[in-house]
Structure formats: structure tokens, C-alpha cells
Amino acid sequence: MMAEFGDFECARRLLDEGESQLRDAWTYELGRLLVRRFQVETLAGDPPAAEDALAEAQAIATQLSSGPESGLGQLLLEVLGERDGSGQAP
């Protein structure tokens, strides 16, 4: 939400706080947070950071066997469709 208003510093700070709490504890939720980080970094104009977050989220989804029916899988499909410009999941 903060990123949508252009407050990328605040959005990144909140994501950093959430990531520190989730890493090594709640892997599934970390994956969902990383998808949100991809969205924030995309809006902020930092493609390398966005792609790093997306790659880690995809790796987590693979590790947890989170398919397209899962919440994480749905988020990934959504952002991949947006990233590829189709507006639809691949």
C-alpha cells in the first residue's frame, strides 16, 4: 500500500521487518512477502531487486511444492502475468 503512494522507503522498511521475522521460521509466508517485495521494487524502478525477490519466492514455492492452487502459487501467477505484460497468469 505504501509503495502505491510512492513511499518506497517506508514500504521497504516494513518488508525488511517482516522478512527478518519470517526468515527461518515461516517459509511459506516469507515466499508471499517476497512476491510483495517484487511488486514494491518493480514500482520503485529497481528491476534487479525485484527479480531477486521473485526468484527467491519461486524457489520457496518449488521447495514447498506450492502449486498454482496455493496462495503463494496464485500470487506468483498474478505477478508473472503482470511482469510479462499479458495481465494474465502464464
Side-chain angles (χ1 to χ4, degrees), residues 1-11 40 43:
M1 183 82 158
M2 301 307 293
E4 291 174 354
F5 294 113
D7 193 349
F8 302 114
E9 182 178 324
C10 180
V40 167
L43 287 172

PDB file of all heavy atoms in Angstrom, residues 1-11 40 43:
ATOM      1  N   MET A   1       0.823  -1.189   0.000  1.00  0.00           N
ATOM      2  CA  MET A   1       0.000   0.000   0.000  1.00  0.00           C
ATOM      3  C   MET A   1       0.874   1.262   0.000  1.00  0.00           C
ATOM      4  O   MET A   1       0.600   2.184  -0.737  1.00  0.00           O
ATOM      5  CB  MET A   1      -0.911  -0.046   1.230  1.00  0.00           C
ATOM      6  CG  MET A   1      -1.848   1.078   1.308  1.00  0.00           C
ATOM      7  SD  MET A   1      -3.263   0.754   0.279  1.00  0.00           S
ATOM      8  CE  MET A   1      -4.432   1.809   0.993  1.00  0.00           C
ATOM      9  N   MET A   2       1.913   1.268   0.823  1.00  0.00           N
ATOM     10  CA  MET A   2       2.773   2.448   0.890  1.00  0.00           C
ATOM     11  C   MET A   2       3.449   2.694  -0.460  1.00  0.00           C
ATOM     12  O   MET A   2       3.591   3.838  -0.877  1.00  0.00           O
ATOM     13  CB  MET A   2       3.835   2.291   1.985  1.00  0.00           C
ATOM     14  CG  MET A   2       3.275   2.072   3.383  1.00  0.00           C
ATOM     15  SD  MET A   2       2.056   3.298   3.909  1.00  0.00           S
ATOM     16  CE  MET A   2       3.053   4.749   4.021  1.00  0.00           C
ATOM     17  N   ALA A   3       3.838   1.628  -1.136  1.00  0.00           N
ATOM     18  CA  ALA A   3       4.507   1.776  -2.428  1.00  0.00           C
ATOM     19  C   ALA A   3       3.573   2.371  -3.467  1.00  0.00           C
ATOM     20  O   ALA A   3       4.013   3.116  -4.344  1.00  0.00           O
ATOM     21  CB  ALA A   3       5.035   0.431  -2.901  1.00  0.00           C
ATOM     22  N   GLU A   4       2.302   2.053  -3.380  1.00  0.00           N
ATOM     23  CA  GLU A   4       1.346   2.599  -4.334  1.00  0.00           C
ATOM     24  C   GLU A   4       1.246   4.119  -4.222  1.00  0.00           C
ATOM     25  O   GLU A   4       0.880   4.795  -5.176  1.00  0.00           O
ATOM     26  CB  GLU A   4      -0.026   1.958  -4.142  1.00  0.00           C
ATOM     27  CG  GLU A   4      -0.056   0.497  -4.539  1.00  0.00           C
ATOM     28  CD  GLU A   4      -1.362  -0.181  -4.227  1.00  0.00           C
ATOM     29  OE1 GLU A   4      -2.248   0.430  -3.596  1.00  0.00           O
ATOM     30  OE2 GLU A   4      -1.499  -1.348  -4.613  1.00  0.00           O
ATOM     31  N   PHE A   5       1.584   4.648  -3.049  1.00  0.00           N
ATOM     32  CA  PHE A   5       1.573   6.095  -2.840  1.00  0.00           C
ATOM     33  C   PHE A   5       2.960   6.697  -3.033  1.00  0.00           C
ATOM     34  O   PHE A   5       3.168   7.874  -2.770  1.00  0.00           O
ATOM     35  CB  PHE A   5       1.047   6.429  -1.443  1.00  0.00           C
ATOM     36  CG  PHE A   5      -0.396   6.065  -1.252  1.00  0.00           C
ATOM     37  CD1 PHE A   5      -0.752   5.055  -0.382  1.00  0.00           C
ATOM     38  CD2 PHE A   5      -1.400   6.710  -1.971  1.00  0.00           C
ATOM     39  CE1 PHE A   5      -2.085   4.705  -0.201  1.00  0.00           C
ATOM     40  CE2 PHE A   5      -2.730   6.364  -1.801  1.00  0.00           C
ATOM     41  CZ  PHE A   5      -3.076   5.364  -0.920  1.00  0.00           C
ATOM     42  N   GLY A   6       3.915   5.877  -3.466  1.00  0.00           N
ATOM     43  CA  GLY A   6       5.259   6.359  -3.749  1.00  0.00           C
ATOM     44  C   GLY A   6       6.184   6.401  -2.555  1.00  0.00           C
ATOM     45  O   GLY A   6       7.306   6.879  -2.669  1.00  0.00           O
ATOM     46  N   ASP A   7       5.743   5.881  -1.409  1.00  0.00           N
ATOM     47  CA  ASP A   7       6.600   5.873  -0.212  1.00  0.00           C
ATOM     48  C   ASP A   7       7.376   4.564  -0.170  1.00  0.00           C
ATOM     49  O   ASP A   7       7.101   3.672   0.625  1.00  0.00           O
ATOM     50  CB  ASP A   7       5.757   6.052   1.048  1.00  0.00           C
ATOM     51  CG  ASP A   7       6.604   6.355   2.272  1.00  0.00           C
ATOM     52  OD1 ASP A   7       7.852   6.222   2.196  1.00  0.00           O
ATOM     53  OD2 ASP A   7       6.027   6.713   3.318  1.00  0.00           O
ATOM     54  N   PHE A   8       8.354   4.453  -1.064  1.00  0.00           N
ATOM     55  CA  PHE A   8       9.111   3.216  -1.201  1.00  0.00           C
ATOM     56  C   PHE A   8      10.002   2.947   0.002  1.00  0.00           C
ATOM     57  O   PHE A   8      10.208   1.798   0.374  1.00  0.00           O
ATOM     58  CB  PHE A   8       9.927   3.231  -2.494  1.00  0.00           C
ATOM     59  CG  PHE A   8       9.065   3.409  -3.709  1.00  0.00           C
ATOM     60  CD1 PHE A   8       9.155   4.545  -4.485  1.00  0.00           C
ATOM     61  CD2 PHE A   8       8.128   2.443  -4.059  1.00  0.00           C
ATOM     62  CE1 PHE A   8       8.351   4.723  -5.603  1.00  0.00           C
ATOM     63  CE2 PHE A   8       7.317   2.610  -5.166  1.00  0.00           C
ATOM     64  CZ  PHE A   8       7.427   3.744  -5.935  1.00  0.00           C
ATOM     65  N   GLU A   9      10.504   4.003   0.611  1.00  0.00           N
ATOM     66  CA  GLU A   9      11.356   3.833   1.794  1.00  0.00           C
ATOM     67  C   GLU A   9      10.570   3.152   2.918  1.00  0.00           C
ATOM     68  O   GLU A   9      11.054   2.202   3.535  1.00  0.00           O
ATOM     69  CB  GLU A   9      11.882   5.186   2.259  1.00  0.00           C
ATOM     70  CG  GLU A   9      12.823   5.086   3.450  1.00  0.00           C
ATOM     71  CD  GLU A   9      13.361   6.450   3.854  1.00  0.00           C
ATOM     72  OE1 GLU A   9      13.606   7.300   2.979  1.00  0.00           O
ATOM     73  OE2 GLU A   9      13.519   6.645   5.072  1.00  0.00           O
ATOM     74  N   CYS A  10       9.365   3.617   3.167  1.00  0.00           N
ATOM     75  CA  CYS A  10       8.525   3.025   4.205  1.00  0.00           C
ATOM     76  C   CYS A  10       8.144   1.593   3.833  1.00  0.00           C
ATOM     77  O   CYS A  10       8.197   0.691   4.673  1.00  0.00           O
ATOM     78  CB  CYS A  10       7.276   3.864   4.431  1.00  0.00           C
ATOM     79  SG  CYS A  10       6.186   3.200   5.716  1.00  0.00           S
ATOM     80  N   ALA A  11       7.775   1.379   2.591  1.00  0.00           N
ATOM     81  CA  ALA A  11       7.398   0.032   2.140  1.00  0.00           C
ATOM     82  C   ALA A  11       8.557  -0.936   2.305  1.00  0.00           C
ATOM     83  O   ALA A  11       8.375  -2.057   2.799  1.00  0.00           O
ATOM     84  CB  ALA A  11       6.946   0.076   0.686  1.00  0.00           C
ATOM     85  N   VAL A  40       6.830  -4.161  -4.980  1.00  0.00           N
ATOM     86  CA  VAL A  40       7.332  -2.871  -4.497  1.00  0.00           C
ATOM     87  C   VAL A  40       8.549  -2.436  -5.303  1.00  0.00           C
ATOM     88  O   VAL A  40       8.628  -1.291  -5.757  1.00  0.00           O
ATOM     89  CB  VAL A  40       7.657  -2.934  -2.987  1.00  0.00           C
ATOM     90  CG1 VAL A  40       8.470  -1.722  -2.540  1.00  0.00           C
ATOM     91  CG2 VAL A  40       6.383  -3.060  -2.174  1.00  0.00           C
ATOM     92  N   LEU A  43       7.606  -1.271  -8.766  1.00  0.00           N
ATOM     93  CA  LEU A  43       7.058   0.087  -8.735  1.00  0.00           C
ATOM     94  C   LEU A  43       8.139   1.126  -8.470  1.00  0.00           C
ATOM     95  O   LEU A  43       8.081   2.242  -8.990  1.00  0.00           O
ATOM     96  CB  LEU A  43       5.974   0.204  -7.656  1.00  0.00           C
ATOM     97  CG  LEU A  43       4.645  -0.472  -7.945  1.00  0.00           C
ATOM     98  CD1 LEU A  43       3.753  -0.444  -6.704  1.00  0.00           C
ATOM     99  CD2 LEU A  43       3.946   0.204  -9.119  1.00  0.00           C
TER     100      LEU A  43
END
